[in-house]
Amino acid sequence: MFLANPSALTRGGVLGMNKRNIDYIGRYNPRKYYKRVDDKLTTKQLALANDIAVPDLIGTVSEQHEINDIPAMVNDTVGFVIKPSKGSGGKGILVVTKVDNGRYYKPNGQEVTPSEVYRHVSNVLSGLFSLGGNPDVAIVEGLIQFDPVFDGYSYEGVPDIRLIVFKGFPIMGMIRLSTAASDGKANLHQGAVGVGVDIGTGKGLHAVQFDKPIDLHPDTQKELTAIQVPQWDTLLHTASKAYEMSELGYLGTDMVLDKYKGPLLLELNARPGLAIQIANGRGILNNLRHVEQMPNHNMSVEERVAYAKKHFSANS
Amino acid sequence: MHSRKPFYILVVMLFIAGITASVYRGIEHSVPFLPGKQVQSWAVDAKVSFQGTGEPSEVSFSLPEDPAYEILVENATSPGYGLTITNNRFDRRAIWSIRSATGQQDLYYKVTLIPTGQEQLLAESEPAAPTPYMWPATESAAAAQATEEVWAKSATNLSFAQQLNKDLNANERSQNIELLLAGNSPSKLFIRILHNKSIPAREVSGLFLEDQRRRQQLSTFVEVYNDGEWHLFDPKSGTQGRPDDLLLWDRSGTSVLDVIGGVNSQVNFSMLQDTRSALATAIDVMKNDNALDFSLYQLPLEEQSLFKGILLIPIGVLMVVFLRVLIGIKTSGTFMPVLIALAFIQTTLLTGLVGFLLIVAFGLMIRSYLSELNLLLISRISAVIIVVIGIIGLFTLLSYKFGLSEGLTITFFPMIILAWTIERMSILWEEEGAKEVVIQGGGSLFVATLAYLAMSATWVQHWVFNFLGIHLVILALVLLMGQYTGYRLLELKRFKPLAGE
């Protein structure tokens, strides 16, 4: 059969887009807090205020004429990232991994001319990548020195760890690995590999590319389910803390591991996608319902993480 | 979680209100449920002629008043005459008057009628008891006997009339009846006997409608009142009930035509059967009844045609909601496909698709040059808009030169939308490659095509404009779909690996 039987999906606890929108995002994410996650600059400031580590902020550009300050800003850096503050879906992110005598190079070695940088930032300011096309601010961030533990698992890009946090409990996780097909980007629909990771241990469970199960990384041929995310507890704590910080019940947290600084919070998402279920090879609904049915609790971050590790591990 | 009950009540109420309003429109105002439906109508001309005597003349002519027929248009032509139409309940009359009439005078009354299907002759109030007829001495005994014979064989007023009608037309009539018929016409005799039994009855005139007949005369019938309803009898033939295609012209019981100041007056009828659009007929009837208040039909034609387009948007929107929420198709820009579909309606589908692809393809080429110039977004899009206008102008001119009239409709595309589409596609191309452009653009065009097919169906266009209640139903459907938490069709494919073995 070409299509799945809907009742089989329901039995498997698979969350659909409509149910996600109405029963989770609509019900648990108050509109007034969206700005905290939709505006990355606000997220960054909130995170810093809540002792959550984030990538370095080199500077911001909010006016056209300030674009000329960028070369001075990034002159002494190893590399930098320019992203729209209100962008979504990884759109409008320019990564420069090498700064050499005022010349910039992308991760694939291609040179980026200053006029390309200028145009990119100008597009960002005009709101080309922002939700609703509103004028935006460009954020210039320090490059993440990504942890070599993932060497061989990722092609060109930074592996990023996505956790779905529901009412403060991390309930499902995956790691996104870029591939040659995804052009160094970590977006699953562009061809990145998604590896579901066990909430209890941070170990790989199941992997997919283009929504199809795979075992080996298409570029490096490393076994994907053998992956073990280091500093797993810290990642769970950071994600869980993001609940208090954002006050959003249904939240996606994106984090990266920096060689020196450990887990850094990249961004929060009030409308996290559903591909995480495919990466995990199972539905998320059972865990969501588990949390919904819990009696009123007043747990600390540590207690929530411990509870999640105990109950939402794939082996439990 | 708050109760969903009020929401569902609202949806059900919208649904019922929408259906009820549409059905009411259809039945009460005879707006046809299907487009292109035809109804039969009758055009009847009455020609009143008389010889003027040079004196002041006044002609009083009864006008048709029959619940089985509705008057669509009526007019009277009478050069030199003053004309009044009096409007008593059962006796509408045209009164022509002139100071001096000499020689042959012809007055015309034309009327267009449509059948209403209301065959019964309901009486609004009980008629006054008739005054008994005084028989001449020679007939008195015969009348009394005949009446008693019929009376004995009857139970009600109606059966009395039926029995009497039968006896008047029996093969072997009784001597009494023969005697009475010698001095009275069958209908007069019928009425007189009924009146003597205090049964309300009156002479009425009817016209048999037959296509392309000329010089027709009115026929006389008798109406007998029983239990709130008038029953039609023909004492000359002994039949009861309304014959097919009979138009009751005069039900007042008085004369059809009165002429003062003229001689040799007569009236002739000619008639034509016609078919006309049921919708146009319904609108004309509503106009006559002044039922057009708060109706779109009373708008000037230009605004009406504008509304015909606007009222299609809910259908397109419904399609988009359906395709996105239930099927799961992604479109670039939520309602952009509806706007494209609206343009398709003007251009027709094939021309529209070709035109759209041409404009976007050319636009992308120009846009790739603009992107080298490092312009600000706003001025870049503005430049694209101007270029799009140029492209449209060029294509229109070219298709005109080559005699392709279809190409001229390309101007109906919404230019700002096209410019944004080109800009989005261009960025998509740069960021995610040509494949994604084809997928997203194709998805949008696919949805636009489906929306177009739904919006261009003639019966859909007929319904959304003529039955405004349908929009409440669409609203209810859209609200309901907004509540749908089930899987989208395409998710069944996407999540297939999760469905277990």
Side-chain angles (χ1 to χ4, degrees):
Chain A
M1 257 275 281
F2 180 67
L3 298 176
N5 184 345
S7 61
L9 290 185
T10 310
R11 269 198 308 279
V14 178
L15 179 65
M17 195 64 92
N18 292 330
K19 196 172 176 58
R20 178 200 76 163
N21 291 344
I22 294 175
D23 287 348
Y24 291 96
I25 295 180
R27 197 181 302 164
Y28 293 103
N29 290 357
R31 198 71 233 182
K32 57 181 171 179
Y33 300 137
Y34 271 45
K35 192 180 184 296
R36 298 180 180 177
V37 298
D38 284 347
D39 186 336
K40 292 190 184 69
L41 200 55
T42 312
T43 312
K44 227 179 174 62
Q45 287 155 354
L46 265 176
L48 289 172
N50 284 275
D51 287 329
I52 295 174
V54 289
D56 285 338
L57 178 63
I58 297 176
T60 59
V61 179
S62 51
E63 306 276 346
Q64 287 289 338
H65 65 86
E66 290 170 6
I67 297 175
N68 300 321
D69 303 341
I70 290 179
M73 250 186 240
V74 300
N75 210 13
D76 300 327
T77 62
V78 193
F80 60 93
V81 177
I82 297 178
K83 53 169 74 166
S85 183
K86 294 173 198 159
S88 70
K91 282 210 178 74
I93 297 180
L94 177 73
V95 182
V96 170
T97 43
K98 200 169 128 197
V99 179
D100 185 19
N101 278 332
R103 298 177 72 177
Y104 310 126
Y105 299 92
K106 287 208 269 194
N108 58 10
Q110 215 181 323
E111 189 179 347
V112 191
T113 63
S115 81
E116 277 177 280
V117 174
Y118 185 96
R119 178 156 58 91
H120 184 84
V121 178
S122 170
N123 278 342
V124 169
L125 298 186
S126 309
L128 187 58
F129 309 105
S130 77
L131 298 159
N134 299 316
D136 204 351
V137 174
I139 302 177
V140 186
E141 273 182 357
L143 195 67
I144 292 148
Q145 300 297 309
F146 64 93
D147 199 310
V149 290
F150 290 127
D151 273 357
Y153 282 112
S154 197
Y155 180 85
E156 287 183 347
V158 184
D160 109 354
I161 298 136
R162 153 74 55 99
L163 283 166
I164 301 288
V165 181
F166 184 50
K167 294 169 90 170
F169 294 89
I171 55 168
M172 196 172 253
M174 73 167 163
I175 177 158
R176 295 185 294 189
L177 307 169
S178 49
T179 62
S182 77
D183 194 24
K185 295 201 173 80
N187 287 322
L188 294 194
H189 74 270
Q190 288 169 329
V193 168
V195 184
V197 282
D198 184 20
I199 286 288
T201 61
K203 203 179 163 307
L205 290 172
H206 183 265
V208 290
Q209 186 187 27
F210 289 119
D211 291 351
K212 301 252 162 43
I214 53 165
D215 293 323
L216 304 176
H217 191 283
D219 305 316
T220 63
Q221 306 304 321
K222 278 195 91 163
E223 197 192 342
L224 290 163
T225 45
I227 206 166
Q228 168 66 53
V229 183
Q231 306 188 52
W232 184 240
D233 275 14
T234 319
L235 285 163
L236 290 178
H237 275 88
T238 309
S240 186
K241 258 199 232 169
Y243 168 59
E244 268 90 8
M245 168 187 135
S246 68
E247 294 183 67
L248 294 171
Y250 185 78
L251 187 69
T253 61
D254 290 344
M255 288 169 287
V256 287
L257 283 176
D258 188 275
K259 190 157 50 167
Y260 308 108
K261 298 178 199 147
L264 302 180
L265 181 67
L266 266 191
E267 61 177 86
L268 297 176
N269 201 324
R271 314 167 194 80
L274 299 173
I276 194 167
Q277 299 180 102
I278 301 172
N280 275 269
R282 65 194 175 113
I284 197 173
L285 214 43
N286 293 335
N287 291 354
L288 289 171
R289 293 223 173 96
H290 183 117
V291 175
E292 276 182 308
Q293 278 155 15
M294 283 171 66
N296 272 348
H297 55 79
N298 199 2
M299 291 167 129
S300 68
V301 171
E302 283 71 26
E303 285 166 326
R304 287 202 304 259
V305 168
Y307 189 92
K309 284 175 79 171
K310 187 167 170 231
H311 290 93
F312 303 136
S313 167
N315 310 317
S316 68
Chain B
M1 183 191 159
H2 61 92
S3 167
R4 284 271 168 222
K5 218 172 179 179
F7 172 77
Y8 285 112
I9 292 173
L10 171 72
V11 167
V12 168
M13 270 171 35
L14 282 174
F15 204 80
I16 292 174
I19 295 284
T20 316
S22 303
V23 170
Y24 175 81
R25 224 325 111 93
I27 290 173
E28 180 64 23
H29 291 153
S30 312
V31 174
F33 288 113
L34 289 174
K37 201 181 155 223
Q38 304 276 313
V39 288
Q40 302 292 320
S41 69
W42 288 97
V44 180
D45 279 19
K47 179 184 171 193
V48 174
S49 42
F50 66 97
Q51 292 288 329
T53 55
E55 305 284 308
S57 293
E58 191 168 276
V59 177
S60 167
F61 178 57
S62 174
L63 301 182
E65 188 73 29
D66 184 343
Y69 291 89
E70 181 132 27
I71 294 172
L72 213 50
V73 199
E74 62 177 348
N75 48 56
T77 48
S78 43
Y81 279 79
L83 173 68
T84 347
I85 293 193
T86 62
N87 208 350
N88 304 332
R89 181 158 292 177
F90 271 114
D91 193 15
R92 266 178 7 108
R93 300 188 81 91
I95 294 161
W96 285 280
S97 49
I98 195 164
R99 195 43 76 180
S100 159
T102 318
Q104 176 71 25
Q105 303 287 313
D106 291 321
L107 305 170
Y108 294 93
Y109 168 77
K110 290 171 188 283
V111 64
T112 308
L113 299 147
I114 46 161
T116 57
Q118 166 61 38
E119 298 270 293
Q120 280 178 315
L121 300 165
L122 298 172
E124 282 168 27
S125 57
E126 184 151 347
T131 38
Y133 175 71
M134 292 301 291
W135 297 99
T138 48
E139 294 174 354
S140 173
Q145 267 190 24
T147 310
E148 283 321 307
E149 266 171 44
V150 181
W151 187 255
K153 287 189 278 183
S154 67
T156 61
N157 284 358
L158 187 60
S159 62
F160 180 75
Q162 285 164 340
Q163 200 58 47
L164 180 62
N165 197 24
K166 212 194 271 175
D167 282 13
L168 286 179
N169 288 281
N171 282 339
E172 285 185 31
R173 284 183 280 238
S174 70
Q175 286 205 340
N176 286 331
I177 300 235
E178 290 288 358
L179 174 80
L180 292 167
L181 279 173
N184 301 280
S185 75
S187 54
K188 285 275 186 297
L189 177 61
F190 187 63
I191 290 173
R192 282 167 182 169
I193 292 177
L194 288 170
H195 279 187
N196 278 348
K197 280 289 175 193
S198 299
I199 301 169
R202 62 190 181 200
E203 237 175 11
V204 296
S205 307
L207 181 67
F208 282 100
L209 296 173
E210 222 180 315
D211 194 19
Q212 298 183 6
R213 296 305 296 263
R214 302 174 62 225
R215 303 188 71 79
Q216 296 297 296
Q217 302 293 323
L218 294 175
S219 315
T220 307
F221 294 85
V222 174
E223 274 182 357
V224 178
Y225 176 80
N226 184 56
D227 231 3
E229 198 179 327
W230 291 95
H231 296 269
L232 206 59
F233 289 88
D234 183 357
K236 282 188 295 299
S237 66
T239 54
Q240 187 200 338
R242 178 191 272 269
D244 288 343
D245 288 334
L246 179 75
L247 164 69
L248 290 179
W249 192 276
D250 175 63
R251 291 178 66 206
S252 64
T254 58
S255 64
V256 172
L257 180 64
D258 290 320
V259 177
I260 302 167
V263 291
N264 290 336
S265 64
Q266 56 168 322
V267 57
N268 281 307
F269 296 89
S270 54
M271 59 213 93
L272 261 182
Q273 194 179 28
D274 199 7
T275 51
R276 61 204 312 279
S277 145
L279 178 61
T281 309
I283 294 170
D284 284 345
V285 170
M286 274 189 261
K287 262 186 195 135
N288 283 354
D289 297 350
N290 289 322
L292 277 175
D293 288 337
F294 297 108
S295 157
L296 292 177
Y297 304 125
Q298 63 185 347
L299 290 174
L301 278 180
E302 199 182 328
E303 276 71 22
Q304 282 197 34
S305 67
L306 185 71
F307 260 100
K308 277 182 182 161
I310 291 175
L311 289 174
L312 282 174
I313 294 179
I315 295 287
V317 169
L318 181 70
M319 279 304 284
V320 169
V321 173
F322 173 80
L323 288 169
R324 286 175 66 112
V325 172
L326 264 57
I327 307 295
I329 292 176
K330 288 195 183 97
T331 59
S332 77
T334 311
F335 291 114
M336 194 261 270
V338 180
L339 296 171
I340 302 286
L342 271 182
F344 283 173
I345 286 180
Q346 309 288 337
T347 61
T348 73
L349 185 57
L350 194 65
T351 325
L353 280 173
V354 171
F356 182 84
L357 291 176
L358 276 177
I359 295 173
V360 172
F362 271 74
L364 280 175
M365 280 192 250
I366 310 270
R367 165 66 177 74
S368 74
Y369 169 71
L370 288 177
S371 96
E372 315 235 314
L373 295 180
N374 262 351
L375 297 174
L376 292 180
L377 177 73
I378 303 294
S379 41
R380 194 167 61 218
I381 293 186
S382 309
V384 172
I385 291 175
I386 295 167
V387 168
V388 163
I389 293 172
I391 297 169
I392 289 177
L394 181 71
F395 284 146
T396 313
L397 205 62
L398 280 179
S399 52
Y400 176 72
K401 289 276 180 204
F402 290 117
L404 298 168
S405 56
E406 297 87 10
L408 298 177
T409 56
I410 211 166
T411 46
F412 287 109
F413 276 110
M415 279 157 235
I416 311 268
I417 299 284
L418 277 176
W420 262 111
T421 305
I422 290 166
E423 180 65 22
R424 282 225 185 94
M425 296 286 175
S426 168
I427 296 289
L428 204 60
W429 195 309
E430 282 173 16
E431 294 218 324
E432 315 214 352
K435 193 177 152 212
E436 200 61 25
V437 172
V438 174
I439 290 176
Q440 285 204 15
S444 292
L445 277 187
F446 175 71
V447 174
T449 305
L450 287 186
Y452 161 78
L453 291 177
M455 287 156 75
S456 63
T458 36
W459 66 269
V460 169
Q461 298 193 337
H462 175 79
W463 269 75
V464 294
F465 186 71
N466 296 302
F467 298 92
L468 294 178
I470 208 72
H471 295 280
L472 295 181
V473 177
I474 293 176
L475 181 59
L477 287 176
V478 167
L479 290 178
L480 263 191
M481 281 197 268
Q483 284 284 299
Y484 176 71
T485 56
Y487 298 110
R488 299 173 179 175
L489 189 66
L490 292 179
E491 281 178 343
L492 297 182
K493 177 176 175 282
R494 182 185 180 199
F495 291 134
K496 190 159 191 315
L498 302 183
E501 275 62 55

